[in-house]
Amino acid sequence: MEWMHFLRWAHIIGATVLLGTGAGIAFFMVMAHRTRDARLIAHTASIVVIADWLFTATAVVAQPVTGTLLAMEMGWPLSQGWIVAALALYVFTGVFWLPVVWIQHKLRDLAREAAETGAPLPEQYFRLYRIWFACGFPAFFAVLAILWLMVARPAL
């Protein structure tokens, strides 16, 4: 019984990290972007990149592991509708998260270059920021839907 409680705890922590880090990263990037200050954006984006690799990537790997082990421990077949839906949404989220990670690196680099040279942020920065911003919404709502599926476990 203790193993199952550990798996539940680990799975809930992973889900919390995904949601919380995603929301926090988005908030800080948006707030930095609003200043149009290349130096501030470069600094914030540098921290965001570290946080994404340290926290989000770790949780991205841990979630399917803890989820699979938890389902096995609970006796839930992975073919249950709500589990299949959650896994599909997880892949959907990843399709948006992977480009976001790359874009965050580019935003950081473009802002650093502008800060170092004293130049304004280039148009490429703003174009990538708009893509980054747009990718956040479907990923965030998919994570919310996954959380709902985990809690409600509807018969699908």
Side-chain angles (χ1 to χ4, degrees), residues 6-16 62-64 66-68 70 150:
F6 170 77
L7 288 172
R8 274 189 182 170
W9 176 82
H11 199 63
I12 290 168
I13 293 297
T16 304
Q63 282 307 96
T66 59
T68 300
L70 183 58
M150 286 176 16

Side-chain angles (χ1 to χ4, degrees), residues 63-75:
Q63 282 307 96
V65 172
T66 59
T68 300
L69 292 172
L70 183 58
M72 290 168 49
E73 188 71 23
M74 298 292 288

Side-chain angles (χ1 to χ4, degrees), residues 4 10 18-19 22 26 41 44 49 57 65 88 116-117 124 129 137 149 155:
M4 184 176 61
L18 285 176
L19 182 64
I41 293 167
T44 302
V49 165
V65 172
E116 289 169 1
T117 62
Q124 182 187 13
Y129 176 83
F137 286 98
L149 287 166

